[in-house]
Structures are given as structure tokens and as C-alpha cells.
Amino acid sequence: MLRACFLTFATRARPVPTRRESSHPRDLLGRAIGFVSLRRVDAGTFAVVQQSKVFFTALFARVLLGRSLSVPKWCTLTILVLGVTLISLLSQPGAVACGPLTTSSVPADLSASAYMIGLLAVGTDSALSGYATVYFERVLKTTVLTVWDRNLQL
């Protein structure tokens, strides 16, 4: 029976897309930007700022898919972005939050401009990741494929 299913699937007239979405250039660019940002910000700040991916995903879902979110959800996402901004500003080298900055928490060669470049890179990485997620969902929902074709695609 498995052989019959395979033969039926193998002899389909419609070609199956062979390009994987995970090897798309925007994903490779996002990974490269992630490495750039990790050289300029500490891991804790990277993890906190990376959470803004949720906001970018919601924004791109609104723009590309036409989804609407309720006002409380947009308020929650705005609070998330404000929290990320506050944490990233307090983690900036030279900022005094609860006392003097120790040399063990920040690398010696990390300047304020390098830190801002790192934050910008993390934000760009988050935006690209959110866009890739919504774009892939759009591709999955707009193409007409059978279950077998979709399994092969994934």
C-alpha cells in the first residue's frame, strides 16, 4: 500500500516546489545580522530585544495578511516594546541603573556607538524574522497544494 501511495504521488503532473524557505537569503541575512549584534551587545540584552519579534510579527501580519488585533493586544505589544526599550537603554555601557558599572559585566572594548549598532542589528534581525514568519504563512495559505505536496514542501 505504501508503494502504491508513493507511485501515485511520484507520477503527479504538477511539480512540487523544491526551494526550502529556511535557506532564503533574508534568513541568511538575519543570521549574519544576529552574529554582528552578539559581538556588540551582551547576551541578556540580545535576548530581551529579540522579544520584539512578536511585535514585528503582529505588524507584518496586519500589513501582509490583513489581520486585525484588538486594542488590548496592541496595548500589550506597545508595553512590550517600551519594556524592551527601557531595558536596552539601562543596559547601555556607561548607564548607571543601580550603581556603578563593573568591568566584568561589559567588555572593555564596547563603546556606546558599537552598542547602538548592536541594538539596531538585533532590531533588524527581529524585523526580518517577523517578516519571514508572516511571508511563509502567506505562501502556505495562498498556494493550492494537496496534503502530500505540502508535506514534501515542509
Side-chain angles (χ1 to χ4, degrees), residues 30-105:
R31 289 187 189 112
I33 290 173
F35 287 123
V36 168
S37 63
L38 279 172
R39 290 185 55 91
R40 291 175 170 78
V41 297
D42 58 312
T45 304
F46 178 85
V48 169
V49 177
Q50 187 70 24
Q51 296 305 312
S52 64
K53 178 172 67 170
V54 175
F55 175 77
F56 287 115
T57 302
L59 185 66
F60 287 124
R62 173 72 180 130
V63 172
L64 294 176
L65 299 176
R67 287 193 183 150
S68 61
L69 293 177
S70 64
V71 174
K73 289 181 181 178
W74 279 113
C75 288
T76 303
L77 289 172
T78 304
I79 291 170
L80 172 74
V81 170
L82 291 175
V84 165
T85 304
L86 180 66
I87 294 297
S88 62
L89 288 177
L90 291 177
S91 298
Q92 182 178 2
V96 179
C98 296
L101 197 59
T102 62
T103 57
S104 62
S105 62

Side-chain angles (χ1 to χ4, degrees), residues 9-32:
F9 179 75
T11 58
R12 298 190 66 86
R14 183 176 26 188
V16 177
T18 56
R19 183 176 170 187
R20 291 186 47 170
E21 290 295 322
S22 64
S23 62
H24 198 276
R26 88 179 140 263
D27 294 332
L28 298 175
L29 178 66
R31 289 187 189 112

